Amino acid sequence: MNIRPDPDTTVPAVTTGPLPSSRKIFATPDAAPDLRVPLREIILSEKAGEPNLPVYDTSGPYTDPNVVIDVNSGLQRHRTAWVRERGGVEEYEGRSVKPEDNGNVGTAHAAKAFTGYHKPLRGLDGHKITQLEFARAGIITKEMIYVAERENLGRKAQLERAEEALANGESFGAEIPPFVTPEFVCSEIARGRAIIPSNINHGELEPMIIGRNFLTKINANIGNSAVSSSVEEEVDKMVWATRWGADTVMDLSTGRNIHTTREWILRNSPVPIGTVPIYQALEKCNGDPVALTWDLYRDTLIEQCEQGVDYFTIHAGVRLAYIHLTANRVTGIVSRGGSIMAKWCLAHHKESFLYTHFEDICDIMRKYDVSFSLGDGLRPGSIADANDRAQFAELETLGELTKIAWKKGCQVMIEGPGHVPMHKIKINMDKQLRECGEAPFYTLGPLTTDIAPGYDHITSGIGAAMIGWFGCAMLCYVTPKEHLGLPDRNDVKTGVITYKISAHASDLAKGHPAAQLRDDALSRARFDFRWEDQFNLGLDPETACKFHDETLPKDAHKVAHFCSMCGPKFCSMKITQDVRDYAATLNDQEQGMAQMSAKFKEMGASVYLDADKVKASNKVL
Amino acid sequence: MNIRPDPDTTVPAVTTGPLPSSRKIFATPDAAPDLRVPLREIILSEKAGEPNLPVYDTSGPYTDPNVVIDVNSGLQRHRTAWVRERGGVEEYEGRSVKPEDNGNVGTAHAAKAFTGYHKPLRGLDGHKITQLEFARAGIITKEMIYVAERENLGRKAQLERAEEALANGESFGAEIPPFVTPEFVCSEIARGRAIIPSNINHGELEPMIIGRNFLTKINANIGNSAVSSSVEEEVDKMVWATRWGADTVMDLSTGRNIHTTREWILRNSPVPIGTVPIYQALEKCNGDPVALTWDLYRDTLIEQCEQGVDYFTIHAGVRLAYIHLTANRVTGIVSRGGSIMAKWCLAHHKESFLYTHFEDICDIMRKYDVSFSLGDGLRPGSIADANDRAQFAELETLGELTKIAWKKGCQVMIEGPGHVPMHKIKINMDKQLRECGEAPFYTLGPLTTDIAPGYDHITSGIGAAMIGWFGCAMLCYVTPKEHLGLPDRNDVKTGVITYKISAHASDLAKGHPAAQLRDDALSRARFDFRWEDQFNLGLDPETACKFHDETLPKDAHKVAHFCSMCGPKFCSMKITQDVRDYAATLNDQEQGMAQMSAKFKEMGASVYLDADKVKASNKVL
């Protein structure tokens, strides 16, 4: 049993303040000088002799010491003005919260409600609302300008001379420009190859873009289940996940307090929030999939559209005719949404209402610019089931639905596997691009083996890195708790860092023009024994520092030219500095070689114990 | 400061006993009924309705409850009889241990010596000694019979009908047979495509094979450094690493007590032990690379040959002419051995004595059948330095040296990178196969990005899985402490499990005929909610169980048809069982569909809450 304080008085506590040796800076796009696009600048030591490194920043105002965080009030809603100023929307009295929205929770178990209320906006008929509609009309929105600036990582100078770096990768047909412009963003969205998930009611959002020609993104799933976790924990997990680099967050809550949990998350979230509306719809009919109806689902969509959810996972590709294809699978249907719909279809012996009402769904989502994340309800749940007919039949239907959603003006991405051995990953990516007209792919892992419960962040991080390289636009993280239980805060961090690794490895391999700048800065710090810089340039400075200090805790060791792995006499980095210094002094190679030879002999063993002495001596050679 | 007990009385304590729900079984090869080839059998619950699963077992007698472990005496030396019975060897008075062998350690810091002493064996002139020499003569050794049986995982029946499974992978030219025979092992060794590292003085060894047409292997590095760890810790780490699946262990100790540490490890090791002899040679000249001589190195080789080291990393490819190629690298030379030799070459302005004396080295190693692991002293230490001229120049030299070693009758494998972005990995594998005549490749990672200190088991596990798939025969693990400090016991385990994942993902992707049997068994357990079976079939049952129990600790939950991730109402596995049960009852699809529809409606929400009820009701449908 969870012992919890009186729910009416509990306010989520979240982590704030900058990461070690980092500060928030803001870029100002030429095309919209009123925008402030956040970046994180990693401050290097004076010894570095190189500029600080700006990196992509998903953490929102929580890492900005100039912003007063009050989770009770939520973040500021700067973006609402952008939506209003381009017009075509109306404010209206939204749907009232009903008891079933929170699973008919009684007073004793009710979570404290979020106090603020913002009347929802919705699009007016005959007006452009979605980013896709604006892009097709050639209109560049503030969101487009914002994400263009954000993608460039504040490294315009480096990027403009990055053509060589680009040529270094293998992009498998991606077309990554050296420098991202608002016009490029607009054209990518217009052709459906990228999306900016951005509900007009999510005013707190710092927009981001998902597409294979942009930085590879990652999603973190959070959400309580009926047996574990609380609203406070979930809000904290959202802030925590974005602190470490989650680009979007999915709230997969089930059970009671589902509406309230989501409201707290949305009002405090700087990143796009995704949901699976069928989960809440199911709560509204007491967990009986057979009792689901289109009306109930439709009402749930509107509820969540008004709250500001940025993308919906909709398992409209789980068609009645495909369900029998899963009967002989080793692990059947493993998607929660997919299995709910399969059960509904079987019980009623009818085509899925998500499929039959797909155009109605589009009409609702378009009014709020909620993006589709077409769910892979029949994704494989084991190596044995990978790339089977059930999976690919659904993918083909998702391709068909993509074209309908596009026709309706909606932004679309496509969800993918699952469990897939390495040699079957590229087949998935290639088929998705073909079937779905290059709409962004958003995959869970894939897990490359089933045999490591407790380590599925790793089994899947391998597959994620590969599919990201092959063209996947967003990687949905998997935590160490996958298959075993609800992830806690530590699991969320481990999942996020693992997926940042996969996403970054993808960007390097694709030849993203600026990706390697961070690797190089860190490697230079490593080679120079700038330990603090090495920690701070890494994805998780705190863990790196902690690991180092476990064996060499003194401050003096932070400037030592060795670590406990090799000790002072065996550090190859130290020896190799001698080699480099030597080479730098060469005019005539033979002469330099002989001089160096004499010097090393003279200094003998002491050279080996004090690389600084060698460096100093080189200066007077 | 380490507070340690009086070293003279400290005996290593190691972990013994079987893994959860596992027992050691022995296979008896037809070709040599006196051999007992160990396997681990994972015992499944009665509910499983399928046979127990035999898996590869690296853990030696430590997991055999019928063996009394006494680290003071070492393991039994069964293999010495195999060596003696085929003849061609002599026992002789070995080299005496000299003070410098342990870094001239004083009494106060001396570790307790291992008490037993076995006079060494060495090959006689004009006789076959190495596995390569026997293989070339078409003579099948007991080691070959042993490894053939071991590779088959006790799954002869499954393997014999595995041709279909084989066809499923992409092997990139590997030729993996459905069933491994001693004759196949012999032919692979004869052509240099596989090795059995097996010093004739390592009588404790349970032989294993390294080659791209066999199961992908992993190595764990252990070893103290001058500033951290003790003999006891290192022996414990060796046993601990093999418990979790390390196929070989490298003792990379430096500092004092280096001879004594190695003796303890060898006398207690069931797996091949590798070393880098230059580390000890350097200790013998007080850490001054400039003072290294061929005589000193030669004496160290003989010392370690007599102890029973199974393979030596020898950085003979670091030639004088290549050193300047590293001068403009971001991270120069990062191999300890490589940097030592580079410094020696520069100081003396001479070609490396490892290169000039390479044939002498072969003659020594052949007499004991110590395998070469030709070291990659110029491997890249950062993404920026990957696949550069320094790295590939050395690789080309390693190809040249491979042919010399083969000519001399020595077994050879080749070490590889390092830090390499994903798109440059396959180039490494292909070039190695070409340059080195398909001699087994043994790589460190590679790390696919530099930006995650503290998580380099993951950055490298990605690269390791890929290069294993492409044809790498053994993957050298990287722990979370890489670049930061000496790994402790937990780090060793994390590194080993991560690399077991990479190796297994490789085997699946290559189409190893039996690899998927374990995935399938685990996935069936998962789908059937056999929680204990799921834990026990995984690579780390203890962690899986612990993670599960964090949120659902009760015994009753071990049979629950849900976990805390989704809770009882949302478990897709549960719903999908209904689908499967339904499909199983179908004769006429339409009729079955209608029946199921009626039944689901009738049972309503309760169906959803109790999958067992559904299953029961299906039986009377």
Side-chain angles (χ1 to χ4, degrees), chain B residues 177-251:
Chain B
F179 190 68
V180 177
T181 62
E183 290 73 19
F184 179 74
V185 168
C186 186
S187 78
E188 287 291 293
I189 291 174
R191 61 183 286 179
R193 205 152 64 175
I195 67 171
I196 299 180
S198 50
N199 185 323
I200 57 173
N201 289 312
H202 192 188
E204 301 83 358
L205 182 71
E206 296 178 352
M208 51 78 72
I209 191 163
I210 301 168
R212 72 192 282 220
N213 292 325
F214 300 94
L215 288 162
T216 307
K217 303 303 189 297
I218 70 163
N219 170 71
N221 291 333
I222 61 168
N224 63 311
S225 79
V227 296
S228 189
S229 177
S230 67
V231 175
E232 298 77 41
E233 283 172 74
E234 296 312 312
V235 174
D236 174 51
K237 276 186 206 167
M238 178 275 293
V239 175
W240 185 241
T242 58
R243 181 177 182 82
W244 297 110
D247 293 285
T248 79
V249 166
M250 290 195 78
D251 172 18

Side-chain angles (χ1 to χ4, degrees), chain B residues 520-534:
Chain B
D520 292 353
L522 191 143
S523 290
R524 283 190 296 268
R526 184 171 277 159
F527 183 71
D528 290 347
F529 297 99
R530 289 180 276 118
W531 287 101
E532 298 281 2
D533 287 349
Q534 186 190 157

